[in-house]
Amino acid sequence: MGSRRRIYLSLAVVAVTGYLANSIFRSGHRALGCSSAPARALNLCTSFSGYRPAARWAIVALLVLISVGVVIALARWSLNPIRSFSATVGRLGPQNLGERVPVSDEHDEATALAVELNRMMDRLAAGYEGQRSFAANASHELRTPLAVQRALIEVGMSAPLTSDQMELLTRQLLDTNERNERLIEGLLVLSESERGLVGTAPQRLDQITQTVVDRHVDLAEQADVKLHVELTPRTVMGEAVLLERLVTNLVQNAIKYNRSGGCVAVRVGGNPTLRVTNTGPQIATEDVPALFEPFRRHSGTRIDHSGGAGLGLTIVRSITQAHGGTVNAAPGSDGGLEVDVTLP
């Protein structure tokens, strides 16, 4: 039986019990020979000399006890579905995230609560699985360059090296070390953005974007990519460091995943707040959501040591959500990717 029917039935039982209690009270009142009205039952009745106040109080106490007992029993009976929910939630843990609350066919509040609890458990299970997968991928990403460094060091120790060989070995070690630094820095920024904003202040996003673009002019020239910037004054509430990282990741990705002679367009305006597009390789629409997952790159493979840690768009999404905004991406009309960031 659904909780709504239980409540309706409980109210009906309470009404019947109240009616019966009133009838018993009136009958006992008359049986004691009291001529005063029942509403004055707690007053001293003087019309009958044999009237005993103790008997009157006994009747009242008995009726109160019966009423309290009925109400408590009905309340416990009505809350039985809720107790079954608490039992299921109490068994929930990292090892049995598949536990779900039984859902009845009734369309009432208890059923709605059970459905929402199950949805919450689904989100918890997905979040826990995502964290576990992220930790495993991060461990793999860190282990691979460490293994490369170990191999290079062993090669250097196995035999004397010429100056050219030593220079090559040193350069490879530096490249591997820089990749480790980028990965660790990306993980730290991601952790900071997912923790939420410590404090917010008005930030000129157009000025932050201009600063970021100026720092990437040389990188764009080296990649033979043209930068087109269109900025209008726009103030948002947030943290300057995280907003700068958001813009930096988008501009770096737009330059890195581009083609020779291509272009990158950066626009700050009204809606969306920030738009970054490039003219890189064609991207299938169904592949776009995966680009926001950790350690996923345009190639679709997780192991890709062509540069970057595979956290750029993941950090962009996390920073945007921390600022109460949304980020959307779609394949560009001339290839590449079009990323729109909307901030309140």
Side-chain angles (χ1 to χ4, degrees):
M1 182 180 294
S3 62
R4 185 177 299 174
R5 293 184 180 180
R6 288 172 181 261
I7 292 174
Y8 290 159
L9 184 57
S10 299
L11 291 175
V13 171
V14 169
V16 172
T17 302
Y19 176 78
L20 293 176
N22 182 60
S23 299
I24 294 172
F25 181 77
R26 288 176 178 271
S27 299
H29 188 74
R30 290 192 296 270
L32 290 172
C34 182
S35 60
S36 62
R40 299 175 55 199
L42 296 181
N43 296 326
L44 183 62
C45 181
T46 59
S47 65
F48 180 59
S49 59
Y51 185 83
R52 294 184 295 276
R56 179 185 58 199
W57 285 108
I59 293 175
V60 173
L62 178 61
L63 292 177
V64 170
L65 288 175
I66 293 175
S67 300
V68 171
V70 169
V71 170
I72 292 177
L74 290 174
R76 291 180 62 84
W77 180 66
S78 299
L79 293 175
N80 271 337
I82 306 301
R83 281 198 291 272
S84 67
F85 296 169
S86 62
T88 302
V89 174
R91 293 193 299 269
L92 185 66
Q95 304 305 321
N96 60 337
L97 290 173
E99 283 278 353
R100 295 296 180 269
V101 176
V103 179
S104 66
D105 296 331
E106 301 285 341
H107 299 286
D108 55 15
E109 287 75 10
T111 302
L113 177 60
V115 171
E116 292 302 322
L117 282 173
N118 288 340
R119 289 175 180 173
M120 180 192 69
M121 293 178 186
D122 290 339
R123 292 192 295 270
L124 287 174
Y128 186 83
E129 182 60 31
Q131 290 291 335
R132 185 163 54 186
S133 176
F134 179 83
N137 290 338
S139 300
H140 189 96
E141 292 283 335
L142 285 169
R143 185 170 60 246
T144 301
L146 289 176
V148 172
Q149 285 181 332
R150 180 183 180 88
L152 292 174
I153 294 173
E154 289 177 348
V155 168
M157 296 176 61
S158 62
L161 301 178
T162 63
S163 58
D164 292 340
Q165 291 174 330
M166 181 62 70
E167 181 181 356
L168 176 62
L169 179 64
T170 303
R171 189 181 306 112
Q172 290 175 335
L173 283 172
L174 284 175
D175 291 341
T176 307
N177 186 68
E178 288 176 358
R179 184 179 182 278
N180 271 344
E181 289 181 351
R182 289 194 301 268
L183 177 58
I184 294 172
E185 182 185 4
L187 292 173
L188 289 174
V189 173
L190 184 61
S191 174
E192 181 180 355
S193 60
E194 290 185 344
R195 183 189 61 191
L197 303 181
V198 177
T200 60
Q203 306 292 341
R204 285 287 299 273
L205 185 63
D206 54 304
Q207 296 177 357
I208 293 175
T209 302
Q210 184 64 64
T211 302
V212 172
V213 171
D214 291 342
R215 286 205 306 263
H216 287 80
V217 170
D218 292 340
L219 179 63
E221 290 179 353
Q222 293 173 8
D224 192 20
V225 172
K226 296 181 180 179
L227 289 173
H228 298 284
V229 182
E230 181 183 346
L231 305 177
T232 56
R234 180 63 190 269
T235 301
V236 298
M237 297 298 295
E239 289 188 13
V241 174
L242 292 180
L243 290 173
E244 183 178 341
R245 172 51 68 100
L246 183 151
V247 179
T248 298
N249 283 7
L250 289 178
V251 173
Q252 282 182 349
N253 276 7
I255 295 174
K256 182 186 303 182
Y257 300 102
N258 213 314
R259 56 179 172 80
S260 180
C263 66
V264 173
V266 181
R267 183 175 68 86
V268 173
N271 190 22
T273 312
L274 171 67
R275 171 173 288 176
V276 179
T277 60
N278 72 338
T279 55
Q282 289 287 343
I283 301 176
T285 303
E286 59 272 16
D287 293 338
V288 172
L291 298 178
F292 288 89
E293 299 303 318
F295 310 109
R296 295 295 295 272
R297 301 171 178 84
H298 179 217
S299 62
T301 58
R302 188 176 60 82
I303 306 301
D304 179 5
H305 302 300
S306 60
L311 292 172
L313 290 180
T314 305
I315 293 173
V316 167
R317 180 180 61 184
S318 182
I319 293 176
T320 303
Q321 291 175 348
H323 284 78
T326 58
V327 57
N328 297 291
S333 57
D334 296 328
L337 198 65
E338 180 179 284
V339 183
D340 290 342
V341 176
T342 302
L343 296 173

